[in-house]
Amino acid sequence: DANTIRCKTPNFEAFGACGADVRVSINGDGWTVNRMGYSYFANTAARNCMAFGPGLLPAAGAFGLALPFVIQARDTLNERRSGGGDVFIVRVTDAAGGKAVDGAMAGVRDMGNGLYHAHYSVPLQGKYQVRGHAGPRDRLESDEACAKPVTQ
């Protein structure tokens, strides 16, 4: 629409994750007095992410109920992510970590601040492995997990 300005930002890789002030020059006129803050950030690295919460404790929980935990996204510099938009998928497998569990359900909700509220439920009592996988939207890095095995 006529009220929207679209632009491409320069490559900031040489500067790393940092903030920048954005000003606009329209039709070659002077730069705007007002500025807008913009944050460049390092990509999320699943190997640096952390998961914690009651759903990951080794103590027995209730099967058939949603067991919650939180994933804290961290970047390639091991810094906490302050924004959302990452993709995390929770998978529940048997204790050996290979076979998907029939009837298990899991979900993740992006809180928009680097935290992701996750949950899972299993249909029967037993030992399970819960893993939070992260990766770009077009590729899942299944070898990098945020969560540790749990006993249910």
Side-chain angles (χ1 to χ4, degrees):
D1 75 62
N3 296 320
T4 302
I5 298 174
R6 298 187 193 280
C7 64
K8 290 186 179 182
T9 63
N11 186 336
F12 248 64
E13 286 180 318
F15 304 105
C18 65
D21 287 336
V22 177
R23 296 175 188 243
V24 179
S25 171
I26 301 174
N27 293 329
D29 288 341
W31 295 99
T32 56
V33 174
N34 298 325
R35 61 183 177 261
M36 177 69 95
Y38 184 81
S39 295
Y40 289 92
F41 55 86
N43 291 332
T44 298
R47 67 186 170 278
N48 294 337
C49 295
M50 294 180 7
F52 54 91
L56 300 179
L57 295 175
F63 59 90
L65 298 176
L67 300 170
F69 64 98
V70 176
I71 299 171
Q72 170 65 65
R74 291 182 172 264
D75 63 24
T76 55
L77 304 172
N78 204 25
E79 298 291 330
R80 289 182 178 187
R81 290 291 307 269
S82 59
D86 295 307
V87 176
F88 286 95
I89 298 172
V90 174
R91 290 198 176 135
V92 181
T93 61
D94 59 19
K99 185 178 179 202
V101 176
D102 289 335
M105 297 189 323
V108 179
R109 192 171 92 210
D110 185 350
M111 302 310 293
N113 61 0
L115 295 176
Y116 296 79
H117 288 187
H119 69 276
Y120 69 94
S121 65
V122 292
L124 301 169
Q125 188 173 5
K127 290 186 177 184
Y128 300 96
Q129 194 171 86
V130 178
R131 297 172 70 95
H133 301 276
R137 292 190 188 278
D138 59 341
R139 185 171 65 89
L140 181 67
E141 298 175 9
S142 59
D143 58 328
E144 297 188 273
C146 298
K148 304 213 179 332
V150 297
T151 303
Q152 188 57 353

